[in-house]
Amino acid sequence: MSSTAIPKRVALHRNPGTDSSVPSSVAVSPLGTPRQSPSSTSLSSMSDDAENNGKMLDTYGNEFKIPDFTIKQIRDAIPAHCFERSAATGLYYVFRDAAILAAVFYLFHNYVTPETVPSFPARVALWALYTVVQGLVATGIWVLAHECGHQAFSTSKVLNDTVGWICHSALLVPYFSWKISHGKHHKATGNIARDMVFVPKTRDQYASRISKTIYELHELMEETPIATACHLVLQQLFGWPMYLLTNVTGHNNHERQPEGRGKGKRNGYFGGVNHFNPNSPLYEAKDAKLIVLSDLGLAIVLSILYLIGSKYGWMNLLVWYGIPYVWVNHWLVAITYLQHTDPTLPHYQPEYWNFARGAAATIDRDFGFVGRHILHGIIETHVLHHYVSTIPFYHADEASEAIQKVMGTHYRTEAHTGWTGFFKAMWTSSRVCHWVEPSEGTKGENAGVLFYRNTNGIGIPPVKLSK
């Protein structure tokens, strides 16, 4: 499948192009009803007004038009049977994945031993392979628990939350705590002030981080590839636990969140914002018992792991569980990062955001056999997932194909690059996606749509600001 984002990747280095056949668009409300621009009363005048507000250009110089379809159109395009959820099918996949984990452990534990494999380097290589395989399969179980959190697993909320709590707790994920914060991510995807996952830095935030003024960004030296690589390694190793502990990459506007209790609380180690404290501003008072239940699940699993380590040795526990756990964290961060970070994706100032726009601000990729059969399609059908998160993964391909007819060129995919493209995209996004800002020369609504810019001389240059 070819990309419909028209990413023109042959023109990476600052040679903006503005070719687009996308029709001009009307703002869409979260309920799916188009609302007119305050300064226009007809489609023709709205088109003129959009043109007068300047052209919105993604990082590669492709012209962007705000989505003009409704949520109702999206839902109506999906065949009715795609909404059907089967507890039997969901449980089959849970037991299948658990059986794979058990079978792999049994084979390695019994047959990759000094007696059967005398060579120490060979055993090390084989056990390293074990950690990779177990990490991938365990990530698949994580995805099934994610289905439970969205009530896509079955029609029973009790069954969904029971299976989700068990599966996520086993992977040291606070199920209900994450479920609640993740739900807020879905309600505010692409909203620069309220999103909960990989919220990009604005120009001034990025400048502050590197101790520069916002006026100097267009003059900065290129970030070295070594610096990019170090950032990526740290992100992949520590991104997930840091998110749970400090809400890193989540929004930091807790005092202004009407549903939270964020007075005086900020992201960070001692800011009072995390996924374990019932008083965290990520939650409401009514959620307290669920946060405690999530913590209880983690305490039970940690106790079991302590007993295993005490009895069988901590090095064995590290290989059996610890390193596969790190692999799971790596895949979660990589998948989520690439779903929401791409040079073609917009972000919105809150006054210009709505659900239909935000849900389109994500991208599908392809991870081959592993993505489809081990990771349950979470990489390949994420755009659909943001529009209708209750559709189970085994219907997601059909539903995704159906909504593409409505979304047209607003549907973004890099499926044509395959699984190797997934890894290349991690590097590309790290090099290209430093901060977001409006396109140069835009005003009004168009100035409320933000795109990635960078200091590496790739794509559209940062806006030159006059002091």
Side-chain angles (χ1 to χ4, degrees):
M1 182 184 295
S2 61
S3 172
T4 53
I6 324 175
K8 293 184 183 175
R9 301 193 188 279
V10 294
L12 288 180
H13 286 272
R14 298 194 171 157
N15 182 23
T18 58
D19 221 6
S20 176
S21 59
V22 185
S24 62
S25 47
V26 185
V28 183
S29 76
L31 297 178
T33 304
R35 58 178 172 83
Q36 292 182 334
S37 170
S39 60
S40 59
T41 56
S42 69
L43 287 176
S44 59
S45 61
M46 279 187 282
S47 177
D48 293 340
D49 187 61
E51 187 67 27
N52 292 335
N53 283 341
K55 291 183 178 181
M56 298 168 285
L57 302 178
D58 69 18
T59 311
Y60 293 132
N62 303 312
E63 185 176 359
F64 176 79
K65 299 290 186 179
I66 296 173
D68 56 357
F69 49 82
T70 68
I71 303 301
K72 184 178 186 304
Q73 288 175 307
I74 291 286
R75 296 186 69 92
D76 288 349
I78 301 171
H81 68 268
C82 290
F83 294 90
E84 296 174 1
R85 299 161 288 171
S86 168
T89 302
L91 288 170
Y92 159 75
Y93 281 104
V94 169
F95 286 118
R96 186 205 73 168
D97 288 0
I100 294 173
L101 287 175
V104 171
F105 177 80
Y106 177 84
L107 289 172
F108 277 78
H109 184 63
N110 287 281
Y111 298 104
V112 184
T113 65
E115 293 76 21
T116 55
V117 183
S119 170
F120 179 74
R123 289 202 308 277
V124 170
L126 287 170
W127 277 104
L129 175 63
Y130 163 91
T131 67
V132 173
V133 173
Q134 296 293 73
L136 282 169
V137 178
T139 303
I141 289 182
W142 197 103
V143 173
L144 294 175
H146 165 260
E147 294 260 304
C148 292
H150 283 291
Q151 307 303 310
F153 188 80
S154 77
T155 58
S156 169
K157 188 176 185 299
V158 173
L159 178 63
N160 294 340
D161 286 340
T162 300
V163 173
W165 181 75
I166 292 172
C167 291
H168 264 173
S169 296
L171 298 169
L172 296 180
V173 177
Y175 171 72
F176 291 103
S177 309
W178 171 85
K179 170 186 171 181
I180 294 168
S181 68
H182 186 67
K184 292 182 179 181
H185 158 60
H186 271 257
K187 292 176 182 177
T189 304
N191 186 318
I192 199 73
R194 293 179 51 228
D195 201 351
M196 293 294 299
V197 174
F198 283 107
V199 179
K201 290 179 174 61
T202 58
R203 185 186 184 108
D204 58 338
Q205 290 169 340
Y206 183 85
S208 175
R209 185 176 72 85
I210 60 175
S211 301
K212 295 289 183 180
T213 71
I214 60 175
Y215 306 101
E216 296 175 305
L217 288 182
H218 70 282
E219 300 171 345
L220 284 181
M221 296 289 290
E222 178 179 353
E223 179 185 81
T224 66
I226 292 177
T228 301
C230 289
H231 173 78
L232 260 181
V233 169
L234 291 173
Q235 173 182 286
Q236 296 310 119
L237 284 176
F238 304 110
W240 175 243
M242 288 293 289
Y243 176 68
L244 295 178
L245 288 167
T246 70
N247 198 46
V248 64
T249 81
H251 76 75
N252 202 17
N253 300 310
H254 306 291
E255 292 206 20
R256 296 200 294 269
Q257 298 303 310
E259 71 276 16
R261 295 161 290 170
K263 186 174 178 59
K265 296 182 178 179
R266 304 280 295 173
N267 294 347
Y269 289 110
F270 306 106
V273 184
N274 63 65
H275 283 73
F276 307 103
N277 186 350
N279 294 318
S280 171
L282 300 176
Y283 313 113
E284 300 176 50
K286 65 181 178 63
D287 300 322
K289 60 182 180 298
L290 296 176
I291 311 308
V292 172
L293 184 57
S294 298
D295 294 344
L296 176 62
L298 301 187
I300 292 172
V301 173
L302 287 171
S303 299
I304 293 172
L305 292 174
Y306 177 80
L307 293 175
I308 292 173
S310 299
K311 183 173 182 179
Y312 298 102
W314 298 105
M315 185 58 68
N316 281 334
L317 180 64
L318 176 67
V319 176
W320 294 344
Y321 183 93
I323 299 177
Y325 168 77
V326 173
W327 276 115
V328 172
N329 291 354
H330 155 73
W331 289 118
L332 298 181
V333 173
I335 291 167
T336 308
Y337 175 66
L338 291 183
Q339 285 167 340
H340 300 285
T341 309
D342 187 85
T344 67
L345 293 180
H347 286 76
Y348 296 88
Q349 293 287 6
E351 60 268 34
Y352 300 111
W353 175 94
N354 61 49
F355 185 84
R357 294 176 178 183
T362 184
I363 189 168
D364 288 343
R365 303 186 189 276
D366 186 86
F367 207 61
F369 176 87
V370 171
R372 295 287 181 182
H373 300 285
I374 304 298
L375 304 182
H376 307 297
I378 194 171
I379 296 171
E380 290 79 6
T381 59
H382 196 68
V383 176
L384 165 78
H385 176 67
H386 267 276
Y387 278 108
V388 191
S389 58
T390 54
I391 289 179
F393 73 90
Y394 42 85
H395 292 319
D397 279 321
E398 183 179 358
S400 182
E401 184 176 349
I403 71 168
Q404 291 174 35
K405 299 171 184 176
V406 176
M407 295 184 69
T409 53
H410 294 294
Y411 171 70
R412 287 171 171 75
T413 178
E414 285 290 307
H416 65 287
T417 64
W419 69 270
T420 57
F422 181 89
F423 292 107
K424 291 177 182 177
M426 289 186 65
W427 180 256
T428 298
S429 291
S430 294
R431 296 288 289 168
V432 174
C433 303
H434 287 175
W435 75 89
V436 292
E437 66 183 23
S439 300
E440 189 163 18
T442 54
K443 58 184 179 180
E445 182 176 55
N446 290 8
V449 184
L450 314 178
F451 289 94
Y452 285 106
R453 300 293 185 254
N454 61 83
T455 63
N456 289 331
I458 302 174
I460 298 293
V463 175
K464 292 186 178 181
L465 301 178
S466 58
K467 297 183 180 181

